[in-house]
Amino acid sequence: MSLDRLMDGMYRAGDAFANAEWVAKLDRVADRLDLDAEARSSAEDLFLSGVPEEERSKRAALAAAVYAGSLVAGDQRSQTAVAEAADVSRQSVQGRWKDLLADAGLEPPTW
């Protein structure tokens, strides 16, 4: 099952508008990592489906969404590379990406 089908309806169109600044940051991180269009789209869907209320948590959530989106799309980057591109710690990515996938109805890899 594709992420698009799972994510359908999980966030409102207005969420993208309300978080436009963060979506732009996600795009810049994706540019730094040279992610393909599918990975970018998956990352944006994952991020918008679970944007934290606290501003201080958004950057870590964004990085985790980029990492998880790259996994889903088969355009994987390392947690370290994503963390560096998003200016967060690797532990921030490591501690959040599995929950993002699980919340989207996807089974995280067990490796």
Side-chain angles (χ1 to χ4, degrees):
M1 184 174 285
S2 74
L3 181 61
D4 290 335
R5 285 191 53 211
L6 289 168
M7 300 304 294
D8 188 37
M10 289 191 71
Y11 64 90
R12 297 173 295 127
D15 292 341
F17 180 76
N19 291 287
E21 174 187 348
W22 288 98
V23 171
K25 288 178 184 183
L26 188 147
D27 285 337
R28 287 192 294 275
V29 170
D31 284 344
R32 289 181 198 129
L33 295 166
D34 195 30
L35 291 180
D36 66 24
E38 184 180 354
R40 290 168 186 257
S41 178
S42 296
E44 185 175 326
D45 287 343
L46 287 165
F47 177 71
L48 290 173
S49 69
V51 178
E53 293 292 323
E54 303 83 26
E55 284 294 313
R56 63 185 174 90
S57 298
K58 289 183 180 180
R59 185 173 298 277
L62 179 147
V66 169
Y67 178 73
S70 73
L71 285 176
V72 168
D75 191 19
Q76 183 177 357
R77 300 298 189 272
S78 71
Q79 291 178 9
T80 301
V82 172
E84 288 174 0
D87 196 26
V88 299
S89 70
R90 186 186 60 76
Q91 289 78 10
S92 292
V93 175
Q94 183 180 22
R96 294 174 184 250
W97 72 272
K98 288 181 183 178
D99 289 338
L100 283 175
L101 289 179
D103 290 348
L106 297 169
E107 180 116 2
T110 57
W111 33 256

